[in-house]
Amino acid sequence: MFERFTDDARQAVVAAREEARRLEQATIAPEHLVLGVLGVTGDPVVRTLADAGIDLPTARRAVERADGVDAAALESIGIDFAEVRRKVEAEFGSGALSGAGRRGGSRTGIIRFDRDAKKALAQSLRAALALEHRIIAPGHLLLGVVRAGEGALPVMFAEQGVTPAGLADTVTRTMTAPS
Amino acid sequence: MSETKQLADAAASRDPAVGLRAVRALRDLADRLEALQVRSAREQGWSWQEIAACLGVTRQAVHKKHAATGRFRSKED
């Protein structure tokens, strides 16, 4: 699958690992992939998202605040994590819910993709095929994360009013626009 | 939010993988809320006994779980 990746997409994957390392996580999760993609500032999709208020610093803050909470799973039982966080932070300040001190950096120094991130990578290939694209660019990686529907993404860009579906729409429109 | 909708539908389908994942996420959230509230209670001068009573656990249990984080020290520690 990686042989279809563009140089930019490879760069995004490498950056995803660095983001996970920076956040002292033992594995690479889908949200780290999102951060990796947003670091490829020359990509048209990334530029479009930046115009919509979604850039690397914003996304980093969102990931640091969610800090590994599985928002999608909470939503499946009717709990709106973004709302819980909003209420808690209103009383206790920004980042109050973060799991500081609970993190697990990798003991071996090797940071691998977790199951959800692998799913997202596999789905990025599907997303490319669905658009009849023969290569996998950074935008396809984002579509893969949305398709995999895991982790922190549902609340990541809630403040910008962007849902995963909305993100996918924007990415797809940018990637299919005649250049 | 079609992906989340799918997830919600899957939860209703009794898939253990989805249901257990929700339990884990809920426990994770509860742990964080507990750490936050215990820290706040200690800062407001609550005793471990009072905190334990509210949480429905023993004083020893709550002390063991939260005293070691080093964020709040008192004579009681």
Side-chain angles (χ1 to χ4, degrees), chain A residues 117-138:
Chain A
K118 283 180 188 164
K119 195 169 155 190
L121 289 173
Q123 287 294 331
S124 69
L125 175 61
R126 296 266 191 105
L129 293 176
L131 294 171
E132 297 182 352
H133 294 164
R134 300 176 57 83
I135 51 160
I136 297 175

Side-chain angles (χ1 to χ4, degrees), chain A residues 101, chain B residues 38 42 48 60-73 77:
Chain B
V38 169
R42 290 296 292 169
W48 290 111
Q60 287 81 1
V62 73
H63 185 268
K64 187 179 175 192
K65 190 170 176 186
H66 295 286
T69 59
R71 286 206 188 90
F72 33 83
R73 289 264 176 253
D77 283 347

Side-chain angles (χ1 to χ4, degrees), chain A residues 98-166:
Chain A
S98 78
R102 294 163 36 83
R103 342 193 122 157
S106 169
R107 255 173 292 169
T108 55
I110 301 165
I111 304 178
R112 299 179 199 286
F113 292 101
D114 71 11
R115 210 180 55 151
D116 295 339
K118 283 180 188 164
K119 195 169 155 190
L121 289 173
Q123 287 294 331
S124 69
L125 175 61
R126 296 266 191 105
L129 293 176
L131 294 171
E132 297 182 352
H133 294 164
R134 300 176 57 83
I135 51 160
I136 297 175
H140 298 115
L141 289 175
L142 286 181
L143 293 177
V145 172
V146 174
R147 278 171 164 247
E150 307 289 351
L153 192 66
V155 297
M156 211 165 154
F157 305 118
E159 272 176 21
Q160 287 75 32
V162 176
T163 62

